[in-house]
Amino acid sequence: MKYACLSAFALLLTACGGGDSDLPPEDMAAPAPPSESATVDDSEPDIPIVGGPCSYEETVIDAHVIAVDDDLVELAGNGTQSFYMQVGDFPSVPEAGADYTIKAELITEGTCTPKIYTVIDGDVGGVE
């Protein structure tokens, strides 16, 4: 019986890989991770990279609120096409028919945000 248990244990060790591990030795160092510049993800080449040095042309617009719909405010001014701003961009929720002075920044160089509209407090040219 003693030898039967010993034989069974030996078979179990052999079946389970007793002692011959597929793992590297403990004193072997792990490989260094790849450097960040070593791999470039070209999986989406059609998407432009956003950012970098950008230039804007600034204009001050006397704008008139055309409509307020949920979180969007539609405005028009100075003979320009209508444009939209978020309700949160205003000091308080605007009403249709209200007038605001808006600073418009339109991109001329780079790939940053193409249009930035900011509510200005005060008269045109009286920016504080």
Side-chain angles (χ1 to χ4, degrees):
M1 177 81 175
K2 182 177 180 181
Y3 292 110
C5 288
L6 192 55
S7 296
F9 182 70
L11 285 172
L12 180 65
L13 278 176
T14 304
C16 295
D20 292 332
S21 174
D22 291 338
L23 297 175
E26 289 181 20
D27 61 345
M28 185 174 182
S35 68
E36 290 181 29
S37 61
T39 305
V40 175
D41 182 13
D42 290 334
S43 61
E44 297 182 44
D46 296 336
I47 298 175
I49 297 173
V50 178
C54 297
S55 299
Y56 290 90
E57 179 182 316
E58 294 183 10
T59 307
V60 177
I61 301 171
D62 289 325
H64 182 76
V65 176
I66 298 171
V68 179
D69 185 31
D70 293 326
D71 290 336
L72 288 178
V73 179
E74 183 179 5
L75 300 111
N78 297 5
T80 62
Q81 288 183 314
S82 63
F83 59 96
Y84 295 89
M85 293 179 64
Q86 298 288 320
V87 168
D89 294 336
F90 292 82
S92 60
V93 178
E95 295 181 12
D99 294 313
Y100 289 91
T101 302
I102 307 291
K103 178 173 76 171
E105 298 173 79
L106 306 176
I107 196 165
T108 58
E109 184 178 340
T111 57
C112 301
T113 305
K115 298 176 183 177
I116 302 171
Y117 297 104
T118 309
V119 175
I120 299 174
D121 294 328
D123 298 329
V124 175
V127 180
E128 298 178 26

